[in-house]
Structure formats: C-alpha cells, structure tokens
Amino acid sequence: QVQLVESGGGLVQAGGSLRLSCAASRRTFYAMAWFRQAPGKEREFVGDITWNGAGTSYADSAKGRFTISRDNAKNTMYLQMNSLKPEDTAVYFCAAGRRGFGTNEYDYWGQGTQVTVSS
C-alpha cells in the first residue's frame, strides 16, 4: 500500500504559477501521474513521470506550461504550473501505478488539492 498526499494548491491570478507536491508514504518504483477534475467534468490526465524520473509525458493542455518532476530521495513528486489560465481551475490528484493516460492505469490516489485560477 502507498498513501499519497497532495499539497500546494490555492488561489492564483491568471498568468501566475503554483507548485504542487505529492508525498508518498514510502519509496515507490511506480510511475506517477497528475490528473485533474473540474466541476461537472471527468477526471483528466495532466501528465506522468517514470519511476526514475527519466521520462515524462503531458496532455496537450499542459505542454509548455507544466513540468513534472520527482525526488525519490524524498518520496515526492512535483507539478510546476506556470502561465496558469482560468480553465486550469480544478482539483488536482496525484496517482501511482503503471504508466498511462487513463485513470485505470493507477492503483493509488491522493485526496486532491484545489487549484483556482482567477481571471
């Protein structure tokens, strides 16, 4: 079992930046990912990272603005979000499991952290 806890969400103006963190309860060799869910919408893939941090992939909406990294010494994954837009407003979730774009690829989930971008 792996427990995941997100932090770093908040309210930011459009064009601003936030860095989210996802702390795991133990070292994991799983791929990890960020998803987000806006009110009334399905949970959507934001990006993922391989177990060793060597590879990342991003949704088109995140490319060029968001960066995922991980520090396995700290059992923590990060999501650096720049040039934020109001449409980025959502609850952001981290997940651990096999690598992929779908929620069913991941076995462990955090509780989510709210990101609100004002215009």
Side-chain angles (χ1 to χ4, degrees):
Q1 288 288 334
V2 178
Q3 282 76 48
L4 303 174
V5 179
E6 302 95 337
S7 61
L11 174 64
V12 64
Q13 288 188 332
S17 298
L18 278 177
R19 188 175 84 153
L20 306 184
S21 299
C22 172
S25 58
R26 62 171 177 81
R27 182 168 184 174
T28 172
F29 293 96
Y30 292 113
M32 297 185 74
W34 289 97
F35 285 78
R36 66 187 185 185
Q37 188 166 19
K41 295 187 177 181
E42 293 186 353
R43 193 168 298 189
E44 66 174 8
F45 175 81
V46 174
D48 64 16
I49 188 166
T50 56
W51 72 271
N52 61 357
T56 55
S57 59
Y58 298 93
D60 287 344
S61 59
K63 287 178 182 176
R65 300 188 300 126
F66 294 2
T67 303
I68 296 174
S69 60
R70 67 191 292 171
D71 183 343
N72 285 341
K74 296 181 178 179
N75 300 334
T76 301
M77 175 180 66
Y78 304 98
L79 177 64
Q80 177 67 45
M81 303 186 292
N82 299 327
S83 302
L84 282 161
K85 305 174 182 179
E87 51 264 44
D88 294 317
T89 295
V91 177
Y92 283 70
F93 298 89
C94 67
R98 299 179 298 278
R99 196 176 180 196
F101 302 133
T103 57
N104 59 351
E105 303 291 342
Y106 298 91
D107 300 312
Y108 304 103
W109 291 85
Q111 82 290 348
T113 186
Q114 176 71 46
V115 171
T116 302
V117 184
S118 63
S119 57

